[in-house]
Amino acid sequence: MKIKTKSHIKVIMLLFIALLMFNCQNDENLPDQLQNKIETVSIDEAKNFLMHSRSNSSAKSTNNEFENLEFNKIAQEKIKGTDQLLTVIPFTTNNDLENKRILMLKIDNDVKSVVFIMYPDENSSKESFSGELFSYSLDGNFISGFRAKNGIIVSQLFENTSTLKTNIDNGKIPTLTRKTPSSSDGVVIQNNYRKTVQALDMFGYSSIFGNDIFGGGFNDYGGVDYYSWDAGGGGITAPTVVEIINQLTGKAKCIYESLRSSSSGFENAIKKFDGDFTVSHLKLTINNNLSTNVYGQTQLPVNFITEIQISNTALNSLSDLGKATVFAHEIIHAEIYRKMLSAAQIGTLTPDGSNMTAQQQVNYINSMKDNFPGLYDYYFKRYKPTWNHEMMANHYKGIIADVIQQFDNNRLPRSTYEAVSWVGLGKLDSNITTIAWDNLSLEEKNKINNLINDNFYNGPSNCY
């Protein structure tokens, strides 16, 4: 399989220069571009922060709360109005009557965290939330509250002055009352109904941020009034983003659906773009105008969406096993990009890195080094233009073989699936091959090529 490759030489040079700049800054101030007060808390930072908070807490109720966190389901969700992400950790105790999560943001390099709880009422639905929303500090102090009706925020709730602590350890909702605007309240409230819950609302306006940072009134954060977040209640903000956008037709759609139903390996790979793994979304489309002998192509992510283009026209010449191999190959590309997005903490990756500041480039490479050392090794440390295929040939070829073997219901010997998985990972283009392929003997190469010809191009083809 011929895969279209893109040169990353320029971005590597930029990142290398950025590292040099960072190391030479000493005590000088960072560039003026680094002015955004809202930053993403990485998954590792979130885990370390919460573990540290737990170990330092003497409150039994607080530690009991930490024990109910689902760290394996940490998600990073979009905040409208910024390219940063809200880090969200759900509780194992969530049910139809209570949805509780910890929300985390970084403000001026300081990690902020709150417990966010949604209590739907009997009129609430997935499409249009009705009920109450509360936020508390990690030690149980009330911060903010809102009441929603049919997806619209209708009022803000305040704790009675006589109630200074919640009874959260007893499962009780704090005593709250609805107030009308009053200068004695020390806040400004807009009475008009509004569609959105500001992401910062749940952290508390004056209690954490104060007028000196975001200024103005209740909905005015430094002139930006749209730092909103889909709280998962349906209808409070924009409709929930579709994590897997499937626009496939014909043969490609048939193979994709067969893969999802037959291969647990493929299904597990797909799940990383769905549900809790929202740092990157997947878009599957048809492009019958790809270059000759290009069956599929994975685009660099744009706005947190990684697009895989499949050519139904090119698939005509392949067996079903060959078609499944194309999908498995491209999903690995998308998974690599998902990891890169997680390290970059921005939604778009460009070939030249021009959408990152010098500091963002430094953070990107350092995060990759800390969290994905294998990816860092191929992408940066010993970079070459074919780095992604070099990495796949050495570390992902077996995964591709697993996927297509399950898809094919073990019809052929394991050695055949391992041979077919070399498609697109041996010879990449005219006179371009991977190091892993070059290290094979001529006898091994001939055997693999024969198995590819007999099974990738020829064989059962039931998807039309």
Side-chain angles (χ1 to χ4, degrees):
M1 177 168 51
K2 182 179 178 181
I3 301 295
K4 183 178 180 181
T5 59
K6 296 181 179 179
S7 173
H8 288 263
I9 295 176
K10 189 174 180 180
V11 67
I12 295 302
M13 292 302 297
L14 285 174
L15 293 171
F16 181 72
I17 292 170
L19 284 171
L20 290 177
M21 288 174 59
F22 182 73
N23 291 332
C24 294
Q25 279 178 336
N26 296 322
D27 296 326
E28 295 180 8
N29 293 330
L30 294 175
D32 292 338
Q33 299 97 314
L34 308 178
Q35 299 178 34
N36 192 355
K37 297 178 182 296
I38 302 176
E39 295 180 80
T40 302
V41 175
S42 72
I43 290 176
D44 283 343
E45 283 179 316
K47 290 179 179 178
N48 292 336
F49 179 87
L50 292 172
M51 289 298 97
H52 181 74
S53 298
R54 177 180 181 179
S55 63
N56 288 342
S57 174
S58 60
K60 181 179 179 181
S61 60
T62 300
N63 279 295
N64 287 340
E65 287 291 302
F66 281 123
E67 290 176 0
N68 292 326
L69 287 173
E70 291 197 275
F71 284 106
N72 62 320
K73 292 187 176 181
I74 292 181
Q76 291 183 311
E77 303 179 3
K78 294 181 187 178
I79 302 174
K80 181 181 177 182
T82 175
D83 60 1
Q84 300 302 300
L85 303 173
L86 185 68
T87 301
V88 182
I89 308 100
F91 284 75
T92 60
T93 53
N94 286 343
N95 53 55
D96 292 340
L97 301 178
E98 176 189 78
N99 190 329
K100 183 161 58 175
R101 288 158 281 179
I102 285 182
L103 312 180
M104 302 185 74
L105 272 176
K106 193 182 293 183
I107 308 295
D108 285 337
N109 293 317
D110 189 17
V111 175
K112 306 294 183 182
S113 60
V114 297
V115 179
F116 170 61
I117 311 178
M118 300 176 71
Y119 294 103
D121 62 25
E122 64 276 9
N123 298 316
S124 185
S125 66
K126 184 177 181 180
E127 292 74 26
S128 183
F129 178 81
S130 293
E132 294 176 329
L133 309 100
F134 301 116
S135 63
Y136 305 94
S137 64
L138 293 188
D139 57 1
N141 287 312
F142 174 78
I143 295 176
S144 65
F146 301 91
R147 183 174 288 120
K149 184 176 181 181
N150 298 325
I152 299 174
I153 298 300
V154 296
S155 60
Q156 185 178 12
L157 302 171
F158 295 87
E159 187 175 25
N160 282 342
T161 55
S162 60
T163 306
L164 300 178
K165 289 284 287 181
T166 72
N167 293 316
I168 195 169
D169 53 323
N170 296 323
K172 296 181 180 179
I173 301 176
T175 304
L176 300 163
T177 183
R178 177 177 174 178
K179 289 186 179 181
T180 55
S182 168
S183 59
S184 61
D185 293 331
V187 296
V188 178
I189 304 174
Q190 289 188 349
N191 288 316
N192 59 296
Y193 288 11
R194 56 199 181 98
K195 275 282 188 183
T196 59
V197 172
Q198 308 301 336
L200 302 181
D201 288 348
M202 305 320 300
F203 287 81
Y205 175 59
S206 59
S207 61
I208 290 182
F209 302 105
N211 292 348
D212 59 322
I213 295 181
F214 291 103
F218 184 72
N219 267 342
D220 181 8
Y221 298 116
V224 179
D225 62 357
Y226 50 87
Y227 285 127
S228 60
W229 163 63
D230 185 351
I236 293 179
T237 61
T240 304
V241 176
V242 178
E243 280 77 35
I244 298 179
I245 306 167
N246 185 356
Q247 298 178 354
L248 298 175
T249 60
K251 292 177 285 292
K253 181 180 180 181
C254 176
I255 291 294
Y256 172 75
E257 292 175 348
S258 296
L259 275 166
R260 295 204 68 171
S261 63
S262 63
S263 172
S264 60
F266 186 83
E267 179 67 17
N268 288 336
I270 288 291
K271 282 182 178 178
K272 294 180 180 180
F273 300 92
D274 200 359
D276 301 314
F277 298 90
T278 53
V279 70
S280 176
H281 306 315
L282 187 65
K283 184 176 182 180
L284 305 167
T285 62
I286 297 296
N287 182 356
N288 291 324
N289 296 315
L290 295 179
S291 302
T292 304
N293 296 326
V294 176
Y295 310 106
Q297 183 173 284
T298 303
Q299 306 293 315
L300 282 167
V302 177
N303 294 328
F304 299 97
I305 295 177
T306 301
E307 181 178 351
I308 295 177
Q309 298 177 352
I310 301 292
S311 171
N312 268 331
T313 302
L315 293 186
N316 279 328
S317 61
L318 307 183
S319 66
D320 283 350
L321 182 61
K323 299 181 186 80
T325 306
V326 171
F327 269 98
H329 183 108
E330 299 305 329
I331 285 293
I332 297 297
H333 277 300
E335 166 62 6
I336 291 173
Y337 284 150
R338 187 184 73 86
K339 291 177 179 178
M340 293 171 71
L341 278 182
S342 178
Q345 296 292 309
I346 59 174
T348 300
L349 298 178
T350 59
D352 59 2
S354 59
N355 63 327
M356 296 189 208
T357 64
Q359 182 63 46
Q360 283 177 316
Q361 293 171 7
V362 171
N363 294 342
Y364 177 32
I365 292 301
N366 286 338
S367 177
M368 193 181 296
K369 181 179 180 180
D370 293 339
N371 297 295
F372 309 108
L375 177 57
Y376 167 82
D377 187 42
Y378 283 90
Y379 179 69
F380 187 78
K381 190 174 180 180
R382 47 177 176 155
Y383 171 82
K384 59 184 303 184
T386 57
W387 69 269
N388 48 3
H389 289 111
E390 298 286 352
M391 182 178 181
M392 289 169 65
N394 280 305
H395 302 287
Y396 287 96
K397 193 164 58 62
I399 295 176
I400 296 174
D402 291 340
V403 169
I404 61 177
Q405 182 174 357
Q406 286 181 314
F407 167 84
D408 203 38
N409 198 27
N410 300 292
R411 182 177 59 90
L412 302 167
R414 171 68 181 184
S415 57
T416 300
Y417 301 113
E418 290 177 346
V420 172
S421 68
W422 271 105
V423 175
L425 299 179
K427 185 175 181 180
L428 306 179
D429 211 331
S430 300
N431 301 318
I432 299 178
T433 55
T434 60
I435 295 173
W437 179 258
D438 293 338
N439 288 335
L440 297 178
S441 67
L442 180 59
E443 181 181 0
E444 288 174 313
K445 292 177 182 177
N446 289 336
K447 183 177 180 180
I448 290 170
N449 284 330
N450 288 334
L451 288 170
I452 288 174
N453 288 330
D454 291 341
N455 297 279
F456 182 78
Y457 300 102
N458 300 299
S461 184
N462 299 313
C463 276
Y464 298 100

